Amino acid sequence: MNKLKSLFEHKCPKCGGTLTASYDSISSSKSCPACSYKEEIHAALGVRIIHDPAK
Ligand SMILES: [Zn+2]
């Protein structure tokens, strides 16, 4: 479980808030309800997409 925990750190890098994680068969995503930061991870493609509205 420790490995999983470090792989999916549920803390927003922008504001330090708790991220909400969701998973489906092709991807996983984490989003921050406080600042709209969002990460999408497509493990099969080796792609990580970061949505950062502040940039
Ligand atoms: Zn945030």
Side-chain angles (χ1 to χ4, degrees):
M1 288 309 275
N2 282 337
K3 262 187 192 170
L4 273 178
K5 243 186 176 175
S6 60
L7 191 59
F8 297 104
E9 187 65 48
H10 289 190
K11 276 234 170 145
C12 176
K14 297 291 291 180
C15 70
T18 303
L19 295 175
T20 303
S22 62
Y23 309 91
D24 62 35
S25 55
I26 58 162
S27 69
S28 63
S29 65
K30 298 183 287 185
S31 58
C32 176
C35 72
S36 301
Y37 172 90
K38 188 178 179 192
E39 262 183 54
E40 269 176 48
I41 297 156
H42 297 265
L45 303 173
V47 171
R48 187 162 85 148
I49 301 164
I50 295 179
H51 303 272
D52 185 349
K55 273 181 190 167

